[in-house]
């Protein structure tokens, strides 16, 4: 591994979120917060362990081993510690920890996220709302880290949450993930909670394994975004999606036109991966609709379908919505027909 150039191009699934600009936008509240049913939800305990200081103290393989021994869940799940590659991993950790470029990124990370109390507050606000909607939810042990982009930006399961904060420093960082600019827009301090919220949503977002149409992908992504919008009620849709304000305005003004494109081109039931990637996956824009239409527009449409469905069925709980696997039923019952 060349640890002097520690950028790593992350594989990203097509079920994610990025931008469109056609001209005015329905994005959830541009000012203030959405209605918040969980506003008075009980607080939950959040404890954060910041691993960066201990990590950057590593000088020898023996110290790297001690670091992993002291953080067994982190080593197992995030670092993928295994007996067969133990020595190699120890050496890699030392190389990274002593790399001057990564040390600089570590200082920039500390400057971008200087206050563990503020981070704990943000996590607490989100997690108490998740617990309100899903009472079985338990806050996992939480750590922060600087990975040099050699591992995931966020890792979360029932046993552990890892936030690699160097991914989220923002445009002033000396090193950034090796991703296109339209994707880097999401990797700022403000983007941390939306990315995490959608990762948490994946635990509850049910999806038929054999359902692989465009509509399935759109509704699946829409449910994830809707989940994030409820547990982050004061986060604008532009930040949830990673779109510019102009792109959001354009989508709102042209929602009917965008939907008509999917209908007229018979796209909803295609299962062609190339076409799904064009409309739901990562892409700078979708010129098939308009040269200013951003990538992942299918995800945005999915969110509008979900919002219309909830408006038509206000008694449906978030838990019931997330467990609904039938995208066609959601579309039918939403009566989603935006005017062109």
């Amino acid at each position: 591994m060349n640890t002097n150039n520690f950028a790593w191009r992350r594989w990203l699934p097509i079920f994610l979120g990025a931008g469109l600009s056609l001209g005015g936008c329905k994005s959830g509240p541009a000012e203030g917060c959405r209605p918040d049913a969980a506003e008075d939800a009980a607080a939950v305990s959040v404890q954060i362990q910041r691993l960066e200081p201990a990590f950057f103290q590593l000088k020898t393989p023996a110290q790297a081993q001690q670091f992993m021994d002291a953080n067994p869940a982190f080593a197992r799940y995030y670092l993928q510690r295994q007996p067969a590659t133990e020595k190699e991993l120890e050496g890699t950790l030392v190389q990274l920890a002593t790399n001057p470029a990564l040390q600089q990124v570590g200082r920039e990370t500390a400057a971008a996220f200087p206050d563990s109390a503020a981070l704990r507050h943000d996590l607490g606000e989100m997690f108490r709302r998740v617990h309100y909607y899903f009472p079985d939810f338990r806050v996992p042990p939480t750590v922060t880290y600087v990975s040099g982009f050699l591992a995931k930006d966020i890792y979360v399961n029932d046993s552990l949450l890892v936030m690699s904060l160097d991914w989220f420093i923002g445009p002033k960082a000396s090193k950034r993930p090796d991703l296109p600019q339209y994707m880097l827009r999401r990797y700022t301090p403000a983007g941390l909670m939306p990315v995490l919220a959608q990762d948490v949503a994946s635990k509850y977002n049910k999806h038929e394994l054999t359902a692989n149409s465009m509509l399935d992908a759109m509704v699946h992504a829409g449910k994830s975004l809707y989940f994030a919008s409820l547990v982050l009620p004061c986060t604008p849709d532009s930040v949830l999606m990673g779109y510019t304000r102009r792109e959001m305005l354009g989508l709102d003004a042209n929602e009917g036109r965008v939907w008509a494109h999917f209908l007229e081109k018979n796209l909803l039931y295609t299962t062609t991966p190339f076409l799904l990637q064009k409309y739901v996956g990562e892409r700078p824009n979708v010129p098939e609709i308009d040269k200013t239409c951003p990538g992942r527009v299918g995800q945005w449409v999915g969110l509008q379908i979900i919002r219309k469905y909830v408006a038509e069925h206000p008694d449906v709980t978030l838990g019931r919505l997330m467990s609904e696997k039938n995208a066609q039923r959601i579309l039918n019952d939403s009566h989603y027909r935006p005017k062109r």
Side-chain angles (χ1 to χ4, degrees):
M1 175 190 299
N2 180 1
T3 55
N4 288 312
N5 179 11
F6 49 81
W8 168 70
R9 182 170 293 278
R10 181 191 184 208
W11 178 83
L12 290 161
I14 66 171
F15 296 129
L16 266 177
L20 165 31
S21 162
L22 302 165
C25 182
K26 172 178 56 187
S27 57
E31 304 287 342
C33 303
R34 302 174 191 84
D36 183 12
E39 182 178 6
D40 298 323
V44 295
S45 176
V46 177
Q47 301 298 325
I48 300 176
Q49 181 182 9
R50 300 201 68 156
L51 297 183
E52 305 95 307
F55 168 68
F56 283 112
Q57 292 297 315
L58 301 182
K59 298 292 188 294
T60 68
Q63 292 174 338
Q65 183 183 59
Q66 293 170 0
F67 174 72
M68 291 190 287
D69 288 344
N71 303 282
F74 170 78
R76 174 187 175 187
Y77 292 114
Y78 191 75
L79 298 181
Q80 298 291 295
R81 184 185 195 183
Q82 298 177 8
T85 57
E86 177 91 0
K87 296 301 181 183
E88 180 183 354
L89 180 55
E90 291 171 1
T92 297
L93 288 175
V94 172
Q95 290 179 57
L96 289 170
T98 57
N99 182 294
L102 187 55
Q103 290 174 343
Q104 174 62 27
V105 169
R107 290 188 288 270
E108 293 167 354
T109 300
F113 297 93
D115 190 349
S116 294
L119 190 57
R120 186 165 56 249
H121 173 269
D122 290 346
L123 287 171
E125 287 296 291
M126 185 182 80
F127 284 151
R128 73 184 182 93
R129 289 177 169 85
V130 177
H131 184 262
Y132 171 85
Y133 291 110
F134 298 92
D136 65 335
F137 173 77
R138 297 293 179 268
V139 178
T142 301
V143 303
T144 66
Y145 184 61
V146 169
S147 69
F149 322 122
L150 290 170
K152 291 181 178 180
D153 51 2
I154 290 174
Y155 175 92
V156 61
N157 65 14
D158 291 338
S159 303
L160 180 69
L161 165 60
V162 181
M163 297 179 292
S164 183
L165 296 180
D166 49 329
W167 281 80
F168 296 92
I169 297 172
K172 294 184 179 179
S174 58
K175 298 282 187 179
R176 300 202 72 191
D178 185 18
L179 297 171
Q181 183 58 43
Y182 68 90
M183 294 171 66
L184 287 175
R185 191 185 301 154
R186 302 199 291 277
Y187 286 100
T188 65
L192 174 60
M193 290 298 133
V195 172
L196 173 58
Q198 292 181 65
D199 282 353
V200 173
S202 65
K203 175 180 179 178
Y204 303 103
N205 195 357
K206 305 306 179 185
H207 180 71
E208 291 286 1
L209 294 179
T210 56
N212 56 1
S213 71
M214 182 81 73
L215 178 61
D216 293 315
M218 293 164 67
V219 168
H220 184 86
K223 289 197 294 176
S224 178
L225 288 162
Y226 183 73
F227 176 103
S229 75
L230 291 192
V231 301
L232 299 171
C234 296
T235 299
D237 279 11
S238 58
V239 178
L240 290 178
M241 293 294 306
Y243 287 168
T244 66
R245 175 171 172 75
R246 184 181 179 190
E247 287 169 342
M248 294 301 298
L249 291 172
L251 280 171
D252 186 44
N254 293 277
E255 182 177 359
R257 174 185 170 190
V258 172
W259 181 240
H261 178 88
F262 281 91
L263 298 181
E264 291 167 1
K265 301 298 182 181
N266 297 313
L267 292 171
L268 291 184
Y269 305 107
T270 182
T271 58
T272 305
F274 177 69
L275 289 176
L276 268 68
Q277 178 63 37
K278 272 189 173 184
Y279 291 94
V280 185
E282 296 290 356
R283 201 177 176 203
N285 62 348
V286 184
E288 292 83 358
I289 297 177
D290 187 276
K291 66 180 181 180
T292 61
C293 176
R296 296 177 299 110
V297 66
Q299 296 188 29
W300 181 86
V301 174
L303 176 59
Q304 310 318 307
I305 292 171
I306 296 300
R307 284 181 168 158
K308 186 64 164 59
Y309 175 83
V310 172
E312 292 285 327
H313 305 278
D315 58 324
V316 172
T317 65
L318 182 60
R320 182 176 161 192
L321 171 69
M322 299 299 286
S323 65
E324 175 57 73
K325 299 179 180 180
N326 192 320
Q328 185 65 59
R329 180 181 298 133
I330 289 177
L331 176 61
N332 291 346
D333 291 350
S334 74
H335 307 297
Y336 179 71
R337 298 182 186 91
K339 293 182 179 179
R340 195 165 177 177

